[in-house]
């Protein structure tokens, strides 16, 4: 979803008529008797809600004989003619305002209703702004607070003084500011006071100073009731005596009555009670809504009844209710608990206290105890009739079960009430006697010798290994077992964790079989019972770390270089490559195969034995050096591989082996425990010709039987006068190629000639470390990107191929 704010511009339509805003109404004015022509006497004022209004004012009907005119734009009413106006004569005009932009039809515009404008010659009394005034106030209005403002307009622009007079009751309750016209409350009101009226009829008179002109207007002030009186009960305390506790539900018990001095809804009352054993109706009658019980609350009920009026906010009144009940033998004895669970040691002796059962009767009766059927003895247990004490009997005791269940009874004697013995009651409880076990057996791992766990190396932390189980012949908590791992000596942390409840052993690390963890890891699990003091048992077993194929084969050299005589016979073992794999079983078993390094034809001359790694000559050698790649692949799933380059340098037939300085180097004596890498002896040989030689040096001790170790030695004879190849051109380029050429496309052919031995082939490569390098003479495009030109530069050793 997405949100976009939309602003709607509402275009106004001229659909509203104008209206007059002149106040007070009706419109009244005064004209001087000798007023000159064009004298303003009144200004009409109208408003129009529309934006594009154009208000014009018109004289609709003239009852003055043309003595006045109205300015159409300003609304000013002016005099016409030079004739004198008559004293106290009323001149009446009917006016209206039109919106010239609010056309209704061809002849009519939106307009105000006609208004009457009364103009009197000379003088006229003040005019109040309203024809009458009304105000409603609450009875709790504050003394001296403002009630209402009554204003009048003077046509002579004189100061007006106001007076207030009551019609009927209420004189002195209100007063008015002589110049402000603000009516104030002179004394406090009380709606409930029968001497105070609820409606005050007043007359306000406005009188002009010096002129004596005055006018009056009616003012009505209504006083409303405020909920300022709470309901009051006739009595503060209501009581009802000798109410049978077994009366039917819904029986009426007593009646209460509350009154409220307020009026209307403020005096309407509802009732409620605080005890859910009872209810009350709107008439104040109290009923029981549950069965009563004389045995509770000291044989009486005490609660509150509340009367609430319907005022806003509501007010309340309360009273206390006490209902006294008469007792009957209707209660059975009540045990302090329905099931008793005492513990007795399995080696307890005669008369040992087991427990005490307790029962009481709400009616106040005495209680007698026994086993079901009234017996005082049950098996090896006895009970005391009056106290409820249960003991082992006095004879020989043999507690051979985990628990014993005893059913005990409590019977009242009915002495609480008259004829109570004829309605005796019985109740029962169960006593479960648990025989406490003594913690004298430790946990035992019975299957410890058969635990043979395995976990795969690299398994995630928390992987399941095995679930161990220990048993404890003790009972109860003494036989409950919890498991934990015993940390091995000199070990940081634990390699395994165990669930203390289930005994499930899981890994606490990721194992590496070829690393410090090894093939087997010892684990010791401890089982501890919950006895006090607790006993322990341990189990130690070995977890086998099973192998996964996570190590590739590794050759013992990064590169093999071997000199081979050109006349070597077919089938001869040329060189043995060797790789090792730290994994186990098939994951560490290795097979070898050959692939070409640069020239696929090299594979026609050699083969490799898959298991031994011996490279064997298949075909007579007939040209220069050879390069092959040996791949070592393990038998894991999935298999892992590694590769090594094997360079076979072909040497001349006439080459002769080197000659040792001595025929025999002996005796050579070294101390046992000589450190690895320490020089033992220096042997020397001299070369006969300028070639490459491969030697095998053997070191053999004089023990019996003798032990020996061999080492391969390769000696390359290098010409000190070697010169770098020479390019046929000093500069190649600039070279322009099209963009978007495919990878592998030919760019340019460059040549260099060798000035030294023919096997030193000029080398051409790209300067970018991620680019492919070529020993051929043709450079090819190796970037899948876009290039504009290629610039070649070179030095005496090799050519750099850079791109810009």
């Amino acid at each position: 979803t997405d949100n976009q704010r939309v602003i709607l511009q509402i275009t106004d339509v001229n659909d509203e008529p104008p209206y007059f805003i002149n106040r007070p109404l009706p419109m009244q004015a005064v004209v001087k008797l000798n007023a000159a022509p064009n004298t303003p006497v009144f200004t009409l004022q109208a408003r129009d809600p529309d934006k594009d209004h154009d208000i014009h004012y018109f004289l609709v009907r003239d009852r003055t004989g043309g003595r006045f005119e109205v300015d159409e734009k300003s609304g000013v009413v002016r005099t016409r003619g030079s004739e004198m106006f008559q004293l106290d004569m009323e001149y009446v005009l009917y006016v209206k305002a039109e919106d010239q932009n609010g056309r209704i039809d061809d002849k009519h515009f939106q307009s105000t209703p006609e208004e009457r404008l009364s103009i009197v010659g000379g003088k006229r009394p003040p005019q109040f702004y309203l024809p009458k005034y009304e105000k409603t106030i609450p009875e709790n209005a504050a003394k001296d607070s403002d009630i209402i403002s009554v204003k009048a307009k003077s046509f002579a622009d004189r100061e007006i003084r106001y007076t207030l007079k009551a019609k009927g009751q209420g004189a002195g309750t209100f007063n008015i500011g002589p110049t402000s016209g603000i009516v104030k409350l002179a004394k406090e009101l009380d709606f409930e006071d029968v001497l105070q009226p609820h409606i005050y009829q007043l007359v306000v008179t406005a009188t002009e100073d010096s002129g004596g002109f005055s006018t009056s207007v009616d003012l009505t002030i209504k006083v409303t009731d405020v909920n300022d009186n709470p309901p009051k009960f006739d009595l503060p305390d209501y009581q009802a005596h000798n109410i049978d506790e077994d009366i039917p539900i819904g029986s009426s018990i007593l009646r209460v009555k509350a009154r409220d001095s307020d009026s209307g809804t403020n005096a309407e009352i509802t009732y409620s009670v605080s005890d859910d054993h009872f209810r009350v109706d709107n008439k104040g009658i109290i009923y029981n809504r549950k069965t009563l019980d004389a045995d509770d609350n000291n044989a009486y009920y005490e609660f509150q009844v509340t009367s609430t009026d319907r005022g806003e906010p509501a007010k309340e009144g309360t009273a206390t209710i006490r209902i006294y009940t008469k007792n009957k033998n209707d209660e059975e004895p009540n045990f302090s608990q329905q099931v008793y669970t005492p513990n007795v040691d399995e080696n307890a002796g005669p008369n040992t206290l087991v427990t005490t059962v307790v029962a009481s009767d709400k009616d106040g009766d005495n209680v007698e105890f026994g086993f079901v059927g009234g017996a005082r003895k049950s098996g090896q247990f006895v009970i005391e009739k009056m106290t409820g004490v249960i003991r082992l009997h006095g004879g020989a005791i043999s507690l051979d079960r985990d628990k014993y269940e005893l059913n005990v009874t409590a019977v009242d004697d009915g002495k609480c009430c008259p004829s109570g013995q004829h309605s005796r009651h019985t109740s029962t409880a169960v006593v479960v006697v648990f025989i406490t076990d003594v913690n004298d057996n430790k946990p035992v791992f019975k299957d410890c010798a058969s635990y043979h766990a395995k976990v795969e190396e690299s398994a995630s932390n928390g992987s399941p290994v095995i679930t161990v189980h220990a048993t404890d012949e003790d009972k109860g908590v003494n036989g409950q077992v919890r498991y934990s791992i015993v940390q091995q000596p000199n070990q940081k942390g634990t390699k395994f964790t165990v669930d203390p409840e289930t005994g499930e052993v899981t890994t606490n690390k990721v194992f590496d079989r070829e690393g410090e963890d090894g093939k087997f890891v010892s684990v010791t699990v401890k089982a501890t019972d919950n006895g006090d003091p607790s006993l322990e048992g341990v189990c130690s077993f070995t977890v086998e770390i099973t192998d996964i194929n996570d190590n590739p084969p590794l050759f013992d050299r990064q590169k093999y270089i071997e000199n081979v005589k050109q006349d070597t016979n077919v089938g001869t073992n040329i060189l043995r490559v060797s790789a090792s794999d730290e994994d186990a079983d098939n994951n560490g078993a290795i097979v070898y195969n050959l692939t070409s390094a640069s020239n696929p034809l090299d594979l026609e001359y050699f083969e490799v034995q898959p298991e031994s790694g011996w490279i064997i000559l298949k075909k007579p050698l007939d040209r220069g050096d050879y390069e092959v790649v040996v791949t070592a692949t393990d038998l894991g799933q999935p298999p892992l591989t590694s590769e090594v380059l094997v360079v076979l340098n072909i040497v001349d037939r006439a080459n002769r082996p080197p000659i040792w300085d001595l025929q025999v180097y002996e005796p050579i004596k070294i101390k046992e425990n000589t450190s690895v890498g320490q020089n033992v002896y220096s042997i020397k040989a001299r070369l006969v010709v300028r070639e490459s030689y491969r030697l095998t040096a053997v070191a053999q001790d004089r023990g019996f039987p003798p032990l020996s170790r061999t080492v391969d030695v390769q000696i390359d004879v290098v010409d000190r006068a070697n010169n770098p190849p020479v390019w046929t051109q000093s500069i190649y380029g600039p070279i322009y190629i099209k963009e978007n050429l495919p990878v592998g496309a030919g760019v340019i052919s460059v040549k260099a000639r060798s000035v030294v031995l023919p096997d030193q082939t000029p080398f051409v490569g790209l300067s970018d470390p991620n680019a492919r390098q070529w020993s051929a003479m043709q450079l090819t495009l190796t970037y899948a990107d876009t290039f504009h030109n290629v610039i070649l530069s070179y030095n005496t050793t090799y050519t750099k191929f850079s791109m810009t």
Side-chain angles (χ1 to χ4, degrees):
T1 62
D2 195 5
N3 297 318
Q4 177 64 46
R5 184 184 181 195
V6 179
I7 299 177
L8 300 180
Q9 299 289 350
I10 307 302
T11 303
D12 184 39
V13 175
N14 196 331
D15 56 352
E16 298 290 339
Y19 56 90
F20 281 111
I21 61 171
N22 292 89
R23 294 293 183 274
L25 293 177
M27 298 181 186
Q28 294 181 4
V30 173
V31 62
K32 293 182 179 180
L33 300 180
N34 59 350
N38 295 323
T39 300
V41 295
F42 193 79
T43 300
L44 300 173
Q45 293 179 318
R47 293 287 184 269
D48 193 317
D50 297 314
K51 288 185 177 181
D52 62 341
H53 61 264
D54 183 15
I55 298 177
H56 290 244
Y57 301 91
F58 299 96
L59 185 60
V60 181
R61 286 181 291 160
D62 187 354
R63 296 290 187 265
T64 67
R67 300 300 306 273
F68 299 92
E69 64 180 2
V70 176
D71 186 280
E72 185 174 340
K73 293 295 292 180
S74 66
V76 175
V77 180
R78 297 186 178 92
T79 60
R80 292 180 61 188
S82 57
E83 183 180 351
M84 292 281 291
F85 291 93
Q86 297 182 20
L87 181 65
D88 295 334
M89 183 174 181
E90 183 181 29
Y91 301 89
V92 178
L93 302 174
Y94 290 90
V95 296
K96 72 174 182 178
E98 284 185 353
D99 180 7
Q100 298 294 299
N101 289 338
R103 183 178 293 275
I104 299 176
D105 51 37
D106 294 341
K107 296 182 179 180
H108 299 87
F109 297 91
Q110 296 172 355
S111 65
T112 64
E114 293 181 6
E115 285 289 343
R116 185 177 186 272
L117 173 59
S118 171
I119 304 174
V120 174
K123 301 178 181 179
R124 71 185 310 163
Q127 180 187 7
F128 283 97
Y129 280 84
L130 294 177
K132 63 178 179 178
Y133 292 86
E134 291 184 355
K135 184 67 175 180
T136 299
I137 62 173
E139 63 171 317
N140 60 350
K143 181 182 177 181
D144 295 327
S145 62
D146 294 347
I147 304 301
I148 191 172
S149 177
V150 180
K151 289 289 187 180
K153 174 183 178 182
S154 172
F155 292 98
D157 291 331
R158 293 180 177 177
E159 185 177 355
I160 295 177
R161 301 189 66 83
Y162 301 94
T163 58
L164 179 66
K165 183 178 180 181
K167 295 191 297 184
Q169 288 183 315
T173 305
F174 301 93
N175 57 38
I176 190 170
T179 59
S180 66
I182 297 175
V183 178
K184 295 179 177 289
L185 180 63
K187 64 180 183 180
E188 294 181 350
L189 301 176
D190 185 0
F191 191 86
E192 290 74 38
D193 188 348
V194 296
L195 299 179
Q196 294 186 16
H198 295 163
I199 299 176
Y200 291 84
Q201 299 292 343
L202 308 171
V203 176
V204 179
T205 300
T207 303
E208 291 180 345
D209 284 349
S210 303
F213 279 104
S214 66
T215 186
S216 298
V217 69
D218 289 336
L219 169 61
T220 301
I221 298 178
K222 297 180 180 180
V223 180
T224 60
D225 182 44
V226 174
N227 191 26
D228 54 353
N229 293 285
K232 294 182 179 179
F233 283 96
D234 294 344
L235 297 174
D237 189 318
Y238 293 85
Q239 297 182 5
H241 295 270
N242 296 322
I243 305 300
D244 290 336
E245 65 175 342
D246 59 351
I247 61 172
I249 294 176
S251 300
S252 62
I253 299 176
L254 59 85
R255 182 176 184 177
V256 297
K257 180 65 176 178
R259 308 173 192 277
D260 195 312
S261 300
D262 292 317
S263 303
T265 57
N266 293 336
E268 295 178 3
I269 296 175
T270 60
Y271 299 95
S272 62
V273 293
S274 61
D275 191 331
D276 62 357
H277 282 81
F278 305 91
R279 67 178 179 86
V280 59
D281 62 16
N282 289 334
K283 296 180 179 180
I285 300 176
I286 296 178
Y287 306 85
N288 66 317
R289 57 191 301 268
K290 292 183 179 180
T291 301
L292 302 182
D293 189 352
D295 308 302
D296 289 334
N297 306 317
N298 296 320
Y300 76 95
Y301 292 87
E302 180 176 325
F303 55 91
Q304 299 291 320
V305 59
T306 302
S307 57
T308 306
D309 62 29
R310 298 184 183 274
E312 186 63 40
K315 290 186 175 294
E316 297 179 348
T318 60
T320 301
I321 306 295
R322 292 184 179 87
I323 299 177
Y324 295 88
T325 57
K326 291 191 299 184
N327 187 29
K328 293 188 176 182
N329 190 20
D330 57 351
E331 298 288 346
E332 63 182 22
N334 183 28
F335 278 98
S336 60
Q337 56 195 75
Q338 286 300 306
V339 179
Y340 294 83
T341 57
N343 294 309
V344 176
D345 288 343
E346 60 181 344
N347 55 0
N351 298 317
T352 298
L353 175 65
V354 176
T355 189
T356 299
V357 294
V358 177
S360 60
D361 192 312
K362 290 184 178 180
D363 294 324
D365 292 331
N366 296 320
V367 178
E368 298 176 356
F369 300 96
F371 294 115
V372 173
R376 296 289 180 263
K377 182 177 181 181
S378 177
Q380 302 180 86
F381 302 89
V382 294
I383 187 171
E384 295 179 3
K385 177 180 179 180
M386 301 307 299
T387 63
V389 174
I390 299 176
R391 300 178 182 273
L392 294 176
H393 64 52
I397 302 299
S398 177
L399 302 176
D400 54 357
R401 288 189 281 174
D402 292 339
K403 63 180 180 180
Y404 295 84
E405 291 190 8
L406 307 173
N407 294 316
V408 295
T409 61
V411 183
D412 63 13
D413 59 5
K415 294 182 178 180
C416 66
C417 312
S419 302
Q421 66 273 15
H422 300 299
S423 56
R424 299 180 66 181
H425 301 277
T426 302
S427 60
T428 61
V430 177
V431 178
V432 181
V433 182
F434 289 95
I435 306 305
T436 304
D437 179 67
V438 177
N439 191 22
D440 54 358
N441 294 283
K442 69 178 182 178
V444 176
F445 292 89
K446 295 182 179 179
D447 300 325
C448 183
S450 63
Y451 291 152
H452 299 288
K454 295 182 179 181
V455 64
E456 192 177 73
E457 67 169 330
S458 298
S460 60
N461 193 357
S463 299
V465 179
I466 192 175
T467 299
V468 299
H469 181 66
T471 56
D472 192 317
E473 294 183 358
D474 290 320
K475 300 175 183 178
V477 295
N478 294 332
Q480 296 174 357
V481 175
R482 293 180 63 84
Y483 302 94
S484 60
I485 295 291
V486 179
Q487 185 164 338
Q488 300 295 330
N490 301 322
Q491 178 181 326
K492 295 181 180 180
T494 57
K495 297 183 178 182
F496 299 90
T497 59
V498 63
D499 187 292
E501 302 294 337
T502 65
E504 181 183 17
V505 179
T506 55
T507 60
N508 197 32
K509 62 168 292 183
V510 178
F511 288 92
D512 183 5
R513 187 176 187 273
E514 293 77 34
E516 63 178 8
D517 297 318
K519 300 177 181 180
F520 298 94
V521 180
S522 177
V523 185
T524 300
V525 181
K526 178 173 65 176
T528 306
D529 62 28
N530 289 333
D532 187 15
S534 61
L535 300 179
E536 300 175 349
V538 296
C539 172
S540 296
F541 56 92
T542 300
V543 177
E544 180 183 354
I545 310 301
T546 59
D547 184 55
I548 65 170
N549 193 23
D550 57 348
N551 292 285
L554 297 177
F555 284 96
D556 57 2
R557 301 184 195 175
Q558 294 184 349
K559 180 179 180 181
Y560 290 88
I561 301 176
E562 183 73 12
N563 294 324
V564 183
K565 291 183 179 181
Q566 190 173 2
D567 58 355
T568 301
N569 295 327
V570 174
T572 301
N573 292 343
I574 302 299
L575 171 68
R576 183 178 183 182
V577 297
S578 178
S580 60
D581 193 316
E582 294 183 357
D583 294 318
D585 301 326
N586 285 340
N587 295 333
I590 299 173
V591 294
Y592 305 91
N593 61 8
L594 285 181
T595 58
S596 63
S598 58
N599 188 355
L601 297 178
D602 290 352
L603 293 178
E604 297 179 1
Y605 294 87
F606 304 96
E607 64 180 357
V608 64
Q609 291 185 346
E611 296 181 357
S612 65
W614 276 104
I615 298 176
I616 302 173
L617 183 63
K618 293 170 50 180
K619 180 180 178 180
L621 301 173
D622 55 7
R623 57 182 178 83
D625 297 340
Y626 299 85
E627 288 186 356
V628 293
V629 174
V630 178
T631 302
T633 305
D634 61 30
L635 300 182
Q637 291 296 329
L640 301 176
T641 63
S642 61
E643 296 179 348
V644 68
L645 177 65
V646 179
V647 179
L648 300 173
N649 297 322
I650 307 305
V651 298
D652 196 318
R653 294 183 180 87
N655 285 348
R656 290 173 291 179
I659 299 174
W660 291 103
D661 289 346
L662 300 175
Q663 292 296 322
V664 176
Y665 291 88
E666 61 178 352
I668 300 172
K669 299 180 180 180
I670 62 173
K671 295 180 180 180
E672 62 177 339
N673 299 328
T674 300
S675 60
V676 176
Q678 184 172 334
N679 292 334
V680 176
Y681 197 74
S682 176
I683 58 177
K684 296 181 180 179
R686 57 187 175 85
L687 299 177
V688 180
V689 293
R690 290 173 54 235
E691 293 181 355
S692 295
Y693 299 91
R694 186 172 180 82
L695 310 176
T696 300
V698 180
Q700 179 174 303
D701 61 25
R702 292 183 178 273
F704 183 84
L707 300 177
S708 64
R709 189 179 298 275
T710 62
V711 65
D712 291 337
V713 179
Q714 179 170 324
I715 302 173
D716 293 331
V717 181
V718 181
D719 181 14
R720 294 182 179 176
N722 284 350
N723 294 302
V726 178
W727 291 101
T728 58
Q729 295 178 223
S730 61
I731 296 177
Y732 291 85
I735 300 168
Y736 298 93
I737 62 173
K738 295 181 178 180
E739 62 179 345
N740 300 325
L741 284 177
V743 174
V747 177
I748 186 176
S749 179
V750 296
K751 294 182 180 180
R753 60 183 178 83
S754 175
V755 297
V756 291
L757 295 178
D759 60 347
Q760 296 182 0
T761 304
F763 169 77
V764 179
L766 298 179
S767 62
D768 186 86
N770 295 321
R772 295 169 53 192
Q773 295 183 345
W774 301 81
S775 60
M777 290 298 100
Q778 179 172 346
L779 300 181
T780 57
L781 184 64
T782 59
Y783 270 54
D785 206 340
T786 305
F787 308 102
H788 294 85
N789 57 63
V790 177
I791 298 176
L792 295 177
S793 63
Y794 80 100
N795 57 27
T796 60
T797 304
Y798 60 93
T799 294
K800 289 185 178 179
F801 184 89
S802 60
M803 299 183 179
T804 61

